[in-house]
């Protein structure tokens, strides 16, 4: 019998494995040390910033109670002032360094009295802000004013960015001792080595069998499955019928979705969050879409409606930011609004340079279908969410309902006519109730399924 020799194959394989393992281990240790160094450096920076913040907080607390000051500021001052940026009035942060406390008490309690006395500083501020009179607050005590000043003199909070979340996630992964990437690389290396070993074992066994004179029988060739399928006429017939049914089913579903835009969610030129406005701030839908009460169309609000609030709101609160949308993102969208209407936050005035905003329409019924918003909103009392879905929860608006003919008809069949305070339908409701023998009528029973109601 002929002997087959494989010189150093096993030892070479083991040596190569050990070399790769040592390489990955060194990389893992180096990455762990680098991560620890970065963590220590970040901790030092955090300690330093927290130390500076605590010193500033201590200085502000000497003036008064910042928590009470925040409550007073939001109720009395926020309409015209911001702590860190100019609005209708100047930014208030640092005002205690520019003015004396006695002067601030007199100015806040009655600014007009101070201006009338001929005070140079008071007159200069009055002239600088276009002679806009500041309301008097005689009800505020010196302690209340101290609290407000303590609040506005607090250091500006650092914006929360997505990077901090990424760093904390990285820290958690490195806290275990080895990076996730290193572990995945080692597992991949082990898998490759197993495949290589299996290949070498198979090759070795074949060579050994060939050297020993062992004949490895070949598998008999079978008839291809497609030939067996073609020769069976019953299977061909059943498959053809099944294929036609599937094509018809999917074809019907496809053509029934033509013109149906449910789930359509376009990106608008200016990001407008209904979640913040209608949800968090609970602004009524009809404040912006006022024509929904009296018109067929709900209408697109003019940018002047936005500026009713955003003349004074040029940035969002830090807690408004989310993992997906940062404070800088929201502030940038407000800047887009200012650019479109030609508003200068620095000068608190319009520049006269306006740019059109090309909003993308989302809900769009066919021209042959008639729908009147005022009839549903004002007469029937239908809530906006009935057709538009949970609009107060949408960060980016999408079409919630299919708005198909069947969907509208089902709504008319199921919805009861609201009669409380609705004298318009009182007489006809009484007559139809006797006709159908019911106490409450649906929209369908009052003619809501007649073709001419929506198509004429």
């Amino acid at each position: 019998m002929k002997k087959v020799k494989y010189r150093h194959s096993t030892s070479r394989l083991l040596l190569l494995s050990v070399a790769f393992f040592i390489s990955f281990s060194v990389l893992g240790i180096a990455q762990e040390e680098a991560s620890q160094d970065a963590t220590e450096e970040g901790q030092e920076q955090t300690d330093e910033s927290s130390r500076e913040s605590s010193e500033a907080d201590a200085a502000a607390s000497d003036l008064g109670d910042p928590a009470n000051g925040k409550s007073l500021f939001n109720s009395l001052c926020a309409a015209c002032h911001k702590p860190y940026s100019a609005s209708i009035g100047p930014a208030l942060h640092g005002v205690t360094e520019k003015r004396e406390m006695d002067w601030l008490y007199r100015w806040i309690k009655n600014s007009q009295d101070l201006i009338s006395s001929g005070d140079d500083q008071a007159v200069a501020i009055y002239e600088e802000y276009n002679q806009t009179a500041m309301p008097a607050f005689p009800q505020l005590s010196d302690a209340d004013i101290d609290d407000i000043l303590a609040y506005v003199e607090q250091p500006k909070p650092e914006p929360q960015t997505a990077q901090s979340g990424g760093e904390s996630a990285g820290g958690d992964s490195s806290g275990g001792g080895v990076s996730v990437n290193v572990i995945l690389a080692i597992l991949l290396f082990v898998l490759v080595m197993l495949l290589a070993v299996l290949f070498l074992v198979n090759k070795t066994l074949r060579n050994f069998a060939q050297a020993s004179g062992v004949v490895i029988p070949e598998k008999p060739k079978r008839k291809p499955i497609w030939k067996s399928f073609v020769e069976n006429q019953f299977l061909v017939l059943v498959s053809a019928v099944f294929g036609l049914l599937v094509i018809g089913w999917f074809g019907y579903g496809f053509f029934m979705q033509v013109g149906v835009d449910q789930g359509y969610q376009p990106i608008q030129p200016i990001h407008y969050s209904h979640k913040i406005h209608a949800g968090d701030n609970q602004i009524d839908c009809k404040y912006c879409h006022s024509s929904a009460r009296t018109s067929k169309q709900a209408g697109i609000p003019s940018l002047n409606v936005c500026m009713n609030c955003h003349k004074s709101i040029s940035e969002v609160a830090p807690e408004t930011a989310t993992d997906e949308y940062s404070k800088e993102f929201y502030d940038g969208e407000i800047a887009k609004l200012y650019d479109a209407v030609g508003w200068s936050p620095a000068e608190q005035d319009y520049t006269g340079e306006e740019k059109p905003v090309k909003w993308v329409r989302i809900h769009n019924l066919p021209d042959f279908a008639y729908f009147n918003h005022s009839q549903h909103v004002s007469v029937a009392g239908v809530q906006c969410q009935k057709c538009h879905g949970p609009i107060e929860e949408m960060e980016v608006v999408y079409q919630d309902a299919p708005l198909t003919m069947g969907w509208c008809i089902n709504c008319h069949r199921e919805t009861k006519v609201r009669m409380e305070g609705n004298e318009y339908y009182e007489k006809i409701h009484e007559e139809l109730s006797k006709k159908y023998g019911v106490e409450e009528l649906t929209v369908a029973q009052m003619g809501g399924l007649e073709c001419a109601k929506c198509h004429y």
Side-chain angles (χ1 to χ4, degrees):
M1 179 185 297
K2 186 175 180 181
K3 198 170 183 180
V4 181
K5 295 182 180 180
Y6 298 95
R7 299 178 180 177
H8 310 298
S9 60
T10 305
S11 61
R12 288 180 179 176
L13 186 60
L14 291 175
L15 183 61
L16 186 61
S17 303
V18 171
F20 272 105
F21 182 77
I22 292 175
S23 300
F24 281 114
S25 300
V26 171
L27 287 175
I29 294 172
Q31 185 170 0
E32 181 181 358
E33 292 178 351
S35 176
Q36 290 178 353
D37 293 340
T39 303
E40 292 175 358
E41 183 179 354
Q43 184 66 30
E44 291 177 357
Q45 295 178 353
T46 303
D47 293 341
E48 183 178 354
S49 61
S50 62
R51 195 181 309 113
E52 295 175 354
S53 177
S54 61
E55 292 175 357
D57 290 339
S61 62
D62 292 339
L63 294 172
D65 181 12
N68 183 47
K70 180 179 181 181
S71 177
L72 292 171
F73 180 87
N74 289 337
S75 60
L76 300 176
C77 313
C80 300
H81 291 282
K82 296 178 183 177
Y84 310 108
S85 60
S87 181
I88 297 175
L92 298 183
H93 184 70
V95 68
T96 56
E97 299 176 0
K98 301 175 183 177
R99 313 277 186 237
E100 296 180 357
M101 294 299 296
D102 292 337
W103 188 92
L104 290 173
Y105 294 149
R106 294 180 59 191
W107 173 263
I108 294 173
K109 291 181 180 180
N110 194 339
S111 62
Q112 288 300 309
D113 183 48
L114 194 60
I115 294 171
S116 301
S117 67
D119 184 270
D120 294 338
Q121 297 183 44
V123 173
I125 295 175
Y126 184 64
E127 295 294 336
E128 181 182 355
Y129 286 90
N130 300 322
Q131 298 184 353
T132 302
M134 175 179 167
F137 299 102
Q139 74 275 20
L140 292 178
S141 64
D142 291 349
D144 292 335
I145 296 175
D146 288 340
D147 293 343
I148 294 175
L149 294 176
Y151 167 67
V152 299
E153 290 296 353
Q154 288 181 314
K156 186 175 182 180
E158 295 294 331
Q160 298 179 354
T161 59
Q163 183 178 0
S164 61
E167 290 176 354
S168 63
D172 293 340
S173 64
S174 63
V178 181
S179 171
V180 176
N181 294 332
V182 174
I183 294 175
L184 292 176
I186 293 175
L187 291 177
L188 179 61
F189 169 72
V190 171
L191 179 61
V192 172
M193 295 306 300
L194 285 176
L195 293 176
V197 169
L198 290 175
F199 175 77
L200 293 175
V201 168
N202 182 52
K203 185 177 179 181
T204 301
L205 291 176
R206 286 183 174 274
N207 291 337
F208 181 76
Q210 184 178 3
S212 302
V214 177
V215 178
I216 301 176
E218 296 183 359
K219 294 182 180 180
K221 293 183 178 180
R222 299 180 181 179
K223 182 185 294 186
I225 189 172
W226 65 271
K227 280 189 177 182
S228 302
F229 176 79
V230 171
E231 292 174 358
N232 192 324
Q233 297 181 356
F234 176 75
L235 285 178
V236 172
L237 178 62
V238 171
S239 300
V241 173
F242 180 76
L244 290 175
L245 291 175
V246 170
I247 293 173
W249 171 262
F250 284 102
Y252 172 80
F254 173 78
F255 287 111
M256 285 300 294
Q257 293 301 313
V258 174
V260 179
D261 298 323
Q262 186 176 15
Y264 178 52
Q265 190 178 31
I267 301 299
Q268 301 292 352
I270 298 178
H271 181 90
Y272 179 87
S273 173
H274 280 77
K275 179 179 180 295
I276 294 176
H277 292 80
D280 298 341
N281 296 322
Q282 297 183 354
I283 299 176
D284 187 84
C285 299
K286 293 181 282 293
Y287 175 78
C288 300
H289 300 279
S290 57
S291 57
R293 298 188 184 97
T294 58
S295 173
K296 173 186 175 183
Q297 305 289 348
I300 300 175
S302 67
L303 297 184
N304 289 333
V305 177
C306 306
M307 292 301 294
N308 288 343
C309 299
H310 283 285
K311 272 187 178 180
S312 303
I313 304 174
S314 60
E315 58 181 358
V316 300
E319 55 269 20
T320 306
T322 62
D323 294 337
E324 187 175 1
Y325 299 100
S326 63
K327 181 181 184 303
E328 290 75 14
F329 172 80
Y330 285 123
D331 294 346
E333 298 305 303
I334 297 176
K336 290 182 182 179
L337 169 65
Y338 289 165
D339 183 57
V341 299
W343 173 258
S344 173
E347 299 177 1
Q348 290 291 303
D349 196 7
Y350 289 99
T351 63
E353 299 178 1
E354 299 180 0
K355 299 178 182 178
V357 178
K358 299 180 181 179
W359 300 107
V360 181
R361 185 166 184 171
I362 300 175
H363 303 83
N364 191 14
L365 292 178
D367 293 339
F368 55 79
Y370 177 82
F371 179 85
N372 191 309
H373 271 85
S374 63
Q375 185 176 4
H376 290 77
V377 174
S378 298
V379 179
V382 177
Q383 296 297 317
C384 304
Q385 288 81 354
K386 184 73 173 179
C387 300
H388 296 286
I391 197 76
E392 73 281 0
E393 300 175 3
M394 297 183 188
E395 182 68 36
V396 179
V397 175
Y398 58 89
Q399 181 174 318
D400 180 74
L403 302 182
T404 59
M405 179 176 177
W407 183 81
C408 295
I409 287 177
N410 287 336
C411 183
H412 283 190
R413 286 171 175 166
E414 298 169 358
T415 304
K416 306 291 185 181
V417 178
R418 184 177 63 89
M419 293 302 302
E420 296 79 10
N422 194 346
E423 299 178 357
Y424 182 81
Y425 289 117
E426 187 173 348
K427 184 177 180 180
I428 189 173
H429 184 277
E430 182 181 352
E431 295 176 356
L432 291 176
S433 295
K434 294 178 181 179
K435 176 181 178 181
Y436 292 107
V438 295
E439 294 184 0
E440 293 184 340
L441 291 172
T442 63
V443 179
Q445 290 171 328
M446 294 192 67
L449 300 186
E450 296 175 3
C451 301
K453 285 289 191 295
C454 303
H455 309 287
Y456 62 89

